[in-house]
């Protein structure tokens, strides 16, 4: 039964599903928008990164707009978010920046900078104000007029000429290199032609990993990206230090201004300035290269647009005294149709998925409450792709801008953000695009060779690229979003800093080797991949081979030390209550105020009671006095029924039998006369236990939660019925719990149903799996059946009345049967291990176990050790050290004898009264609990 053993899993599931409910239904004063919080920890992140196959609004937003309306709630990477596609709400929030909301991406940086005399909101404002100021100094209108325009034109002439000489080029790739090298030169003097470091390649890798799984282990894309990022930050810091140490190296650029400003801006440190430059580079690199690439796509698909552009720009050239002179600021401002093309490109591209703000306090808007601390995602692309404003919104049509008035444009077109945070690099971006179009259409003709497919993930990607062939024409004579996309860049910087801390937790001492896996999820995905045999689960086996018998990992975001070492496991179990505590009862100790008791004592009190009540009803004395004949009757009845039905799936029928019997003994459940088939509920709950915990309608897990609530309600109704009517009492497990409510304060009308639920869950799965495996082993080992039959028929022959019931003495005499039971228990190892939680830091086997970490003592590793269980002749010392099917330490399962009695009695009734044949099935796997694939189908035949 493992009544205490597997209750570890059961009560943990109960507590976890309670947290799930709280996650999906956060309590606030007011009304949250409709929507789903998705999968805990991850939220709806997986749906968010599923690619959309066009430039239209990302399917994640579009589907939820259709389902919930323009405002909805969700969760991304564990962060609660309210998404707004509503213009009025977006305008309201942008107007109240600094009072109701703050910039989200700078929230984390405000914690690092001690800005004297400033509130956190002011601190964020200070940092943002500086970013905007330094960007405008180097990329604003005055700088563009005075010095940047001719440099931009030269850069574009050089690169377009190079591309024309190379044959077909992937424009996204070559434009990315061009944009990066130019921006890096203006920021810190990077000289791409003479530098040993090809930094644009680093940034390409970093961008690719930005939409990959953040699995920071050697061999992964993300791990390589982290190395490239560190390399880049080191180069930026080295450049900074070089200029600080040698003023002759200064050149009056962006970096030099940051160095000068270190005297007045306290947050400008030698560690922050490289991150600042990294963010600006990241923003310009991706946004402008994507916009220019989309420009090529739209032009190749719309030759009429190219004709009108060419006419406008050739007219500009004709007006010049010298046709070969440079582009002027006045000529740029005169490009009417070009501006329409730029606007249409920016309107459709929508490179950032939205603007992010964080609520400073609870506030109401549009009838909903925005809770303090929640992120608000303002999806400005929804207004730019609104078919009511922009007919056929994904169609590239520059002429539509002739018909739009300024009021409509101001309300529905925000490619560079909104509110007080409009991008400081907006004019720079438009100038680069316009200058690019000017040189392209006047000096070159171009043809798309292949590619052009785009998708959103949610940023734009180009699949197999866009390959363009360009050639010079005879002639006389991404957007940067400098503050806009730095949202993403600086958030990535901060997040990767957290990733590094996750994978390298600081402790005093030495942690075991191992990997912490993927943040939040850890190595949970690997843990639930099925093993195709009854051997030790591959998750543990592979790590034992790689790291040794003791290793660290993380499951569902919880740091864990796994031990397959007997000496360490014994040491841990011997120090329960001083170094460690039961893990699953940790949460319950917080719920129950046990007067005068420490938390450890509180946990001990609850466990002591669970063990005591279990022994009262399923311990040796109870088995001898009353339970044994009832077990035998139950087995006779069910085996006879199965023999009359033809082949049966034994896992299914045994599960029903075990559940109904245990439920009857716990709270008087009468399966034959009850309307509720509770065993079916438990089967569904068990199946969902190894499914994704995605608690939304239509999923297996959602249905399971409904079944669980239904079950808990039935148990609570039964409890209340007995409390209100003493005549309904029957002296069972439930009645004892009712009596004990007078003395045990933690026994409440809410806890008792959960206690019964856990005991039922434990017995249901563990015993049904053990009995099913017994059938598998017997059907595959006829010699074992012969020896069992000989032992049990000898028992019958010794009776005065061969039809009398099994006695306790007969049960204790079953020598070979006990060997069969032990072998079944040794191989089955139903629980994956014993769980404990460290109360404080301590050392064992040369490693430190940090306080708060979970320990998983993998007893199955000992029971499946080939060095121990190769020879069948085992002495008692070896058995005691290497065979712990019912746990160990002070927590050995109180239902151990009950479990062995049921299996032994089952074998007695089976081999003396029936012959049996396996018809089909028998495959098993671990996930990490045991499952049976297509079942094990057995045909029973009564023997004379």
């Amino acid at each position: 039964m493992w009544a205490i053993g597997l209750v570890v899993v059961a009560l943990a599931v109960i507590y976890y599903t309670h947290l799930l409910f709280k996650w999906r239904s956060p309590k606030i004063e007011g009304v949250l928008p409709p929507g789903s919080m998705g999968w805990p920890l991850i939220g709806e992140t997986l749906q968010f990164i599923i690619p959309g196959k066009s430039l239209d609004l990302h399917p994640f937003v579009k589907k939820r707009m259709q389902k919930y309306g323009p405002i909805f709630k969700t969760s991304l990477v564990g962060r609660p978010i309210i998404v707004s596609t509503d213009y009025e709400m977006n305008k309201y929030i942008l107007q109240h920046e600094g009072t109701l909301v703050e910039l989200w991406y700078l929230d984390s940086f405000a914690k690092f900078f001690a800005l004297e005399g400033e509130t956190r909101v002011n601190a964020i404002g200070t940092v943002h104000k500086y970013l905007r100021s330094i960007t405008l100094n180097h990329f604003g209108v005055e700088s563009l007029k005075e010095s940047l325009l001719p440099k931009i034109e030269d850069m574009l002439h050089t690169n377009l000429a190079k591309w024309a000489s190379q044959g077909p080029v992937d424009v996204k790739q070559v434009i990315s290199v061009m944009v990066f090298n130019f921006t890096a030169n203006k920021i810190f003097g990077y000289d791409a032609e003479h530098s040993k470091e090809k930094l644009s390649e680093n940034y390409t890798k970093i961008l690719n990993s930005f939409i990959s799984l953040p699995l920071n282990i050697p061999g992964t894309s993300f791990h390589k990206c982290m190395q490239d990022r560190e390399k880049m930050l080191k180069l930026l810091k080295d450049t900074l230090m070089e200029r600080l140490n040698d003023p002759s190296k200064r050149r009056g650029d962006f970096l030099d201004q940051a160095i000068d400003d270190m005297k007045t801006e306290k947050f400008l440190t030698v560690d922050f300035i490289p991150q600042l430059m990294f963010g600006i580079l990241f923003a310009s690199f991706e946004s402008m290269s994507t916009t220019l690439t989309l420009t090529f796509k739209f032009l190749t698909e719309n030759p009429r647009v190219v004709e009108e552009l060419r006419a406008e720009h050739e007219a500009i050239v004709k007006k010049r005294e010298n046709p070969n002179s440079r582009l002027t600021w006045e000529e740029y401002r005169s490009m009417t149709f070009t501006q329409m093309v730029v606007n249409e490109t920016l309107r459709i591209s929508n490179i950032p998925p939205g603007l992010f703000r964080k609520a400073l306090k609870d506030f109401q808007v549009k009838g909903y409450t925005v809770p303090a601390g929640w992120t608000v995602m303002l999806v400005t692309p929804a207004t730019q792709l609104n078919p009511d404003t922009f007919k056929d919104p994904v169609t590239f049509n520059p002429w539509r801008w002739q018909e739009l008035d300024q009021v409509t444009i101001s309300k529905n077109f925000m490619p560079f953000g909104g509110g007080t945070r409009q991008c400081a690099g907006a004019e720079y971006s438009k100038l680069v695009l316009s200058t690019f179009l000017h040189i392209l259409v006047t000096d070159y003709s171009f043809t798309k060779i292949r590619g052009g497919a785009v998708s959103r993930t949610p940023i734009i990607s180009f699949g197999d690229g866009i390959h363009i062939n360009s050639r010079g024409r005879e002639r006389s004579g991404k957007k940067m979003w400098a503050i806009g996309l730095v949202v993403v860049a600086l958030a990535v910087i901060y997040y990767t800093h957290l990733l590094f801390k996750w994978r390298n937790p600081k402790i005093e001492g030495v942690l075991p080797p191992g990997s912490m896996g993927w943040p939040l999820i850890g190595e949970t995905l690997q843990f639930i991949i099925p093993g195709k045999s009854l051997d030790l689960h591959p998750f543990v086996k592979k790590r034992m081979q790689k790291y040794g018998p003791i290793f660290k990992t993380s499951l569902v975001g919880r740091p864990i030390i796994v031990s397959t070492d007997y000496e360490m496991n014994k040491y841990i179990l011997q120090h329960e209550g001083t170094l460690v505590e039961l893990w699953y009862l940790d949460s319950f100790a917080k719920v129950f105020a046990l007067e005068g008791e420490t938390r450890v004592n509180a946990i001990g009190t609850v466990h002591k009671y669970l063990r005591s009540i279990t022994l009262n009803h399923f311990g040796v004395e109870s088995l001898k006095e009353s339970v044994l004949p009832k077990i035998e009757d139950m087995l006779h009845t069910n085996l006879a029924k199965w023999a009359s039905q033809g082949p049966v799936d034994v896992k299914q029928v045994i599960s029903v039998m075990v559940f109904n019997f245990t439920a009857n003994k716990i709270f008087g459940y009468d399966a034959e006369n009850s309307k509720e088939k509770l065993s079916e509920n438990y089967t569904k709950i068990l199946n969902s236990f190894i499914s994704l915990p995605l608690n939304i309608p239509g999923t297996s897990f959602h249905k399971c939660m409904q079944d669980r609530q239904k079950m808990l309600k039935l148990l609570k109704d039964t409890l209340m019925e007995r409390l209100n009517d003493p005549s309904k009492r029957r002296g069972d497990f439930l009645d004892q719990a009712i009596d004990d409510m007078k003395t045990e304060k933690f026994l409440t009308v809410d806890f008792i149903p959960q206690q019964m639920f856990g005991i039922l869950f434990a017995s249901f799965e563990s015993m049904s799996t053990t009995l099913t495996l017994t059938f598998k082993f017997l059907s595959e080992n006829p010699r074992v059946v012969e020896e069992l039959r000989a032992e049990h028929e000898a028992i019958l022959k010794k009776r005065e009345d061969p039809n009398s019931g099994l006695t306790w003495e007969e049960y204790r005499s079953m020598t070979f049967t006990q060997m069969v039971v032990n072998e079944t228990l040794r191989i089955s190892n139903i629980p994956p291990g014993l769980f404990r939680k460290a109360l404080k830091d301590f050392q064992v086997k040369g490693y430190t176990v940090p306080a708060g970490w979970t320990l998983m003592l993998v007893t199955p590793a000992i029971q499946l050790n080939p060095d121990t269980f190769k020879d069948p002749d085992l002495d008692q010392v070896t058995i005691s050290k290497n065979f712990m099917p019912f746990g160990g330490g002070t927590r050995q399962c109180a239902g151990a004898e009950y479990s062995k009695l049921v299996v032994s009695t089952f074998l007695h009734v089976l081999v003396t009264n029936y012959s049996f044949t396996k018809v089909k099935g028998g495959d098993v796997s671990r996930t990490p609990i045991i499952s049976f694939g297509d079942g094990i189908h057995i045909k029973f035949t009564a023997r004379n």
Side-chain angles (χ1 to χ4, degrees):
M1 182 181 79
W2 287 251
I4 301 302
L6 264 188
V7 85
V8 170
V9 178
L11 292 184
V13 169
I14 293 165
Y15 181 63
Y16 182 57
T17 51
H18 169 69
L19 293 182
L20 279 182
F21 178 78
K22 287 179 68 178
W23 166 270
R24 296 204 66 249
S25 305
K27 289 185 179 179
I28 64 160
E29 291 185 9
V31 179
L32 280 172
S36 169
M37 302 303 287
W39 182 8
L41 303 179
I42 291 181
E44 295 193 302
T45 311
L46 299 180
Q47 298 94 314
F48 187 65
I49 62 173
I50 293 172
K53 298 300 183 183
S54 77
L55 286 169
D56 199 359
L57 202 59
H58 192 276
F60 176 86
V61 175
K62 202 163 187 178
K63 288 178 182 176
R64 284 154 183 78
M65 286 175 66
Q66 293 166 351
K67 185 173 183 180
Y68 303 119
I71 305 167
F72 57 89
K73 69 175 182 287
T74 184
S75 173
L76 302 177
V77 197
R79 190 175 189 95
I81 291 177
I82 290 176
V83 179
S84 169
T85 65
D86 182 89
Y87 167 73
E88 292 179 359
M89 176 166 170
N90 294 355
K91 180 181 178 183
Y92 178 83
I93 287 175
L94 292 172
Q95 286 174 338
H96 289 82
E97 192 167 295
T99 55
L100 298 181
V101 297
E102 66 185 6
L103 271 177
W104 172 66
Y105 76 97
L106 278 174
D107 177 30
S108 55
F109 287 97
K111 300 171 188 173
F112 296 148
F113 309 127
L115 304 179
E116 293 178 8
E118 299 212 59
T119 64
R120 191 176 73 141
V121 175
N122 289 341
I124 290 173
T126 299
V127 177
H128 178 271
K129 186 178 179 181
Y130 178 76
L131 285 172
R132 183 174 178 84
S133 170
I134 193 172
T135 302
L136 284 172
N137 278 358
H138 294 271
F139 297 96
V141 171
E142 293 307 313
S143 180
L144 295 175
K145 284 183 180 180
E146 292 173 9
S147 61
L148 273 187
L149 177 53
K151 293 175 182 176
I152 291 169
E153 189 176 14
D154 288 345
M155 174 263 293
L156 291 169
H157 272 300
T158 301
N159 282 275
L160 279 161
K162 187 198 300 182
W163 303 343
S165 69
Q166 292 175 344
V169 295
D170 181 349
V171 288
K172 178 62 168 71
Q173 181 183 348
V174 295
I175 288 173
S176 296
V177 173
M178 174 186 76
V179 169
F180 178 88
N181 291 344
F182 182 77
T183 311
N185 178 265
K186 298 305 156 210
I187 290 177
F188 67 99
Y190 173 64
D191 183 354
E193 287 188 17
H194 300 103
S195 174
K196 296 177 182 177
E197 302 288 344
K198 299 302 178 187
L199 298 185
S200 61
E201 294 179 9
N202 277 11
Y203 261 60
T204 300
K205 293 173 188 174
I206 291 168
L207 179 70
N208 291 338
S209 77
F210 180 62
I211 55 172
S212 69
L213 289 179
L215 195 60
N216 196 2
I217 57 177
T220 63
S221 159
F222 193 77
H223 178 72
K224 184 66 172 70
C225 144
M226 291 299 96
Q227 293 177 315
D228 292 329
R229 172 185 167 274
E230 289 304 314
K231 186 177 179 181
M232 183 70 197
L233 286 172
K234 183 180 183 302
L235 184 144
L236 293 171
K237 188 172 182 178
D238 289 346
T239 306
L240 166 63
M241 298 308 295
E242 186 179 41
R243 293 200 190 179
L244 283 170
N245 296 326
D246 185 357
S248 68
K249 297 289 180 71
R250 300 184 64 174
R251 56 198 303 275
D253 54 14
F254 186 103
L255 174 56
D256 283 343
Q257 181 179 339
I259 290 171
D260 291 337
D261 294 340
M262 290 174 76
K263 301 167 188 172
T264 54
E265 304 294 349
K266 294 183 180 180
F267 57 83
L268 289 176
T269 66
V270 292
D271 290 315
F272 180 63
I273 290 173
Q275 295 203 22
L276 174 69
M277 293 191 289
F278 182 93
I280 299 292
L281 279 166
F282 190 94
S284 64
F285 173 70
E286 173 55 15
S287 58
M288 194 179 293
S289 64
T290 297
T291 307
L292 285 170
T293 303
L294 283 174
T295 303
F296 262 119
K297 171 181 167 65
F298 295 145
L299 295 184
T300 57
E301 294 169 355
N302 295 275
R304 185 180 158 214
V305 173
V306 178
E307 289 174 13
E308 188 148 347
L309 277 172
R310 188 162 281 144
E312 179 170 86
H313 287 277
E314 287 182 343
I316 289 172
V317 172
K318 284 179 183 177
K319 288 180 183 178
R320 294 174 181 167
E321 291 185 10
N322 178 3
N324 296 317
S325 62
R326 291 182 179 276
L327 185 67
T328 66
W329 185 259
E330 292 70 26
E331 288 173 343
Y332 160 61
R333 299 296 289 172
S334 74
M335 299 173 182
T336 308
F337 185 69
T338 301
Q339 188 60 53
M340 292 160 60
V341 172
V342 169
N343 284 354
E344 186 70 349
T345 303
L346 295 173
R347 182 189 68 80
I348 297 177
S349 61
N350 291 308
I351 293 165
L355 308 177
F356 293 89
R357 299 295 185 265
K358 182 180 176 184
L360 293 168
K361 57 185 175 182
D362 288 6
F363 65 90
Q364 280 71 42
V365 58
K366 301 289 284 188
Y368 298 119
T369 293
V370 178
W374 281 44
T375 297
V376 184
M377 179 179 175
L378 312 179
V379 186
T380 49
T383 56
Q384 295 184 184
L385 295 171
N386 186 343
D388 296 331
T389 307
F390 300 99
K391 186 179 178 182
D392 299 324
V394 188
T395 301
F396 182 75
N397 176 17
W399 290 277
R400 74 169 82 240
W401 293 86
Q402 292 173 332
E403 303 166 4
L404 295 170
D405 58 82
Q406 284 304 312
V407 174
T408 301
I409 293 172
S410 64
K411 286 185 176 182
N412 296 279
F413 183 57
M414 298 196 298
F416 299 100
T420 59
R421 307 303 189 190
Q422 188 170 18
C423 176
E427 198 64 51
Y428 170 67
S429 302
K430 291 188 285 187
L431 177 63
V432 171
L433 282 166
S434 301
T435 308
F436 179 80
L437 289 171
H438 172 73
I439 296 171
L440 178 68
V441 298
T442 54
D443 290 5
Y444 298 91
S445 59
F446 49 92
T447 309
K448 184 176 77 174
I449 304 300
R450 62 187 173 91
V454 296
S455 62
R456 289 193 184 275
T457 59
I459 61 174
I460 295 172
S461 57
F462 291 91
D464 58 352
I466 300 179
H467 297 261
I468 299 289
N469 189 24
S470 58
R471 60 183 183 278
R473 296 176 71 240
E474 284 187 11
R475 178 180 165 191
S476 57
K478 173 178 187 207
K479 64 188 178 189
M480 183 172 118
W481 279 254
I483 302 300
L485 262 190
V486 85
V487 170
V488 178
L490 294 183
V492 169
I493 294 165
Y494 180 62
Y495 181 57
T496 50
H497 170 68
L498 294 181
L499 280 181
F500 180 79
K501 287 179 67 178
W502 166 271
R503 296 204 66 247
N504 301 277
K506 288 185 178 180
I507 64 159
E508 291 185 7
V510 179
L511 279 171
S515 169
M516 302 304 286
W518 182 8
L520 303 178
I521 290 180
E523 295 192 303
T524 312
L525 299 180
Q526 298 94 313
F527 186 65
I528 63 174
I529 293 171
K532 299 299 183 182
S533 77
L534 286 168
D535 198 0
L536 200 60
H537 191 275
F539 176 86
V540 175
K541 203 164 186 177
K542 288 178 182 177
R543 282 155 185 78
M544 285 174 67
Q545 293 166 350
K546 186 173 184 179
Y547 302 120
I550 305 166
F551 57 89
K552 70 175 182 284
T553 183
S554 173
L555 301 177
V556 197
R558 190 175 188 94
I560 291 178
I561 289 177
V562 179
S563 169
T564 66
D565 182 89
Y566 167 74
E567 291 178 0
M568 176 164 171
N569 294 354
K570 180 181 177 182
Y571 179 84
I572 299 289
L573 294 171
Q574 286 175 338
H575 289 81
E576 193 166 295
T578 55
L579 297 181
V580 297
E581 65 185 4
L582 271 177
W583 171 63
Y584 76 98
L585 278 173
D586 176 32
S587 54
F588 287 96
K590 300 170 187 173
V591 178
F592 308 125
L594 305 180
E595 293 178 8
E597 299 211 60
T598 64
R599 192 177 72 144
V600 175
N601 288 342
I603 290 172
T605 300
V606 176
H607 178 270
K608 186 177 179 182
Y609 177 76
L610 287 172
R611 183 175 177 83
S612 171
I613 193 172
T614 302
L615 285 172
N616 278 358
H617 294 272
F618 297 98
V620 171
E621 293 307 314
S622 180
L623 297 176
K624 284 182 181 180
E625 291 173 9
S626 61
V627 178
L628 174 53
K630 293 174 182 176
I631 292 171
E632 189 175 15
D633 288 344
M634 175 262 291
L635 292 168
H636 273 298
T637 301
N638 281 274
L639 279 160
K641 187 199 300 182
W642 304 342
S644 69
Q645 292 176 343
V648 295
D649 182 347
V650 289
K651 179 62 167 72
Q652 181 182 349
V653 295
I654 288 173
S655 296
V656 173
M657 175 185 74
V658 169
F659 178 87
N660 291 344
F661 183 77
T662 310
N664 179 265
K665 297 305 157 212
I666 289 177
F667 66 99
Y669 173 64
D670 183 356
E672 287 188 14
N673 300 303
S674 175
K675 295 178 182 177
E676 301 288 345
K677 300 301 179 188
L678 299 184
S679 61
E680 295 178 8
N681 276 10
Y682 260 65
T683 299
K684 294 173 187 173
I685 291 169
L686 178 71
N687 290 340
S688 77
F689 180 62
I690 56 173
S691 69
L692 288 179
L694 196 59
N695 196 5
I696 57 176
T699 63
S700 157
F701 193 77
H702 178 74
K703 185 66 173 68
C704 143
M705 290 300 97
Q706 293 176 316
D707 291 330
R708 172 184 168 273
Q709 288 304 122
K710 186 176 179 182
M711 184 70 197
L712 286 173
K713 182 180 183 303
L714 183 144
L715 293 172
K716 188 172 182 178
D717 289 346
T718 306
L719 166 63
M720 299 308 295
E721 185 178 41
R722 293 200 191 180
L723 283 170
N724 296 327
D725 185 357
S727 69
K728 298 288 179 73
R729 300 183 65 175
R730 55 197 304 275
D732 54 12
F733 187 102
L734 174 56
D735 282 343
Q736 182 179 340
I738 291 171
D739 292 335
D740 294 338
M741 290 175 76
K742 301 166 189 172
T743 55
E744 305 293 351
K745 295 184 179 181
F746 57 84
L747 289 177
T748 65
V749 293
D750 291 314
F751 180 63
I752 291 173
Q754 296 202 22
Q755 180 187 24
M756 292 191 290
F757 183 93
I759 299 293
L760 280 166
F761 190 94
S763 63
F764 174 70
E765 173 56 16
S766 58
M767 195 178 295
S768 63
T769 297
T770 304
L771 286 171
T772 304
L773 284 173
T774 302
F775 267 116
K776 171 180 169 63
F777 297 146
L778 294 184
S779 63
E780 294 169 355
N781 296 275
R783 185 179 155 212
V784 174
V785 178
E786 290 174 14
E787 191 154 345
L788 277 171
R789 188 163 282 143
E791 180 170 84
H792 287 277
E793 287 182 345
I795 290 172
L796 294 182
K797 286 177 183 178
K798 290 179 183 178
R799 292 178 183 170
E800 291 183 11
D801 178 4
N803 296 318
S804 60
L806 185 66
T807 67
W808 185 260
E809 291 70 24
E810 288 173 342
Y811 159 61
R812 300 297 289 171
S813 72
M814 299 173 183
T815 307
F816 184 69
T817 301
Q818 189 59 51
M819 292 161 61
V820 172
V821 171
N822 284 351
E823 185 68 353
T824 303
L825 294 172
R826 182 187 70 80
I827 297 176
S828 60
N829 291 309
I830 294 164
L834 308 177
F835 293 89
R836 299 295 184 266
K837 182 181 175 184
L839 293 168
K840 57 186 177 184
D841 288 8
F842 65 91
Q843 281 70 41
V844 57
K845 301 287 284 188
Y847 297 119
T848 293
V849 177
W853 279 45
T854 297
L855 286 139
M856 180 178 174
L857 313 180
V858 187
T859 49
I862 301 167
Q863 295 182 184
L864 294 171
N865 186 340
D867 297 332
T868 306
F869 291 99
K870 187 175 183 180
D871 190 337
D873 297 323
L874 299 172
D875 58 81
Q876 283 304 312
V877 174
T878 302
I879 292 172
S880 64
K881 285 186 176 182
N882 297 279
F883 183 57
M884 295 166 38
F886 298 100
T890 59
R891 306 303 189 190
Q892 188 169 17
C893 176
E897 199 63 52
Y898 171 65
S899 302
K900 291 188 284 186
L901 177 62
V902 171
V903 179
S904 300
T905 308
F906 181 81
L907 289 171
H908 173 73
V909 177
L910 177 68
V911 298
T912 55
N913 291 276
Y914 298 92
S915 57
F916 52 92
T917 310
K918 185 176 76 173
V919 176
K920 63 170 180 167
D923 292 335
V924 296
S925 62
R926 289 194 184 275
T927 59
I929 61 174
I930 295 172
S931 56
F932 291 90
D934 57 354
I936 300 179
H937 297 260
I938 300 289
K939 186 178 188 311
F940 296 89
T941 306
R943 299 175 71 237
N944 292 328

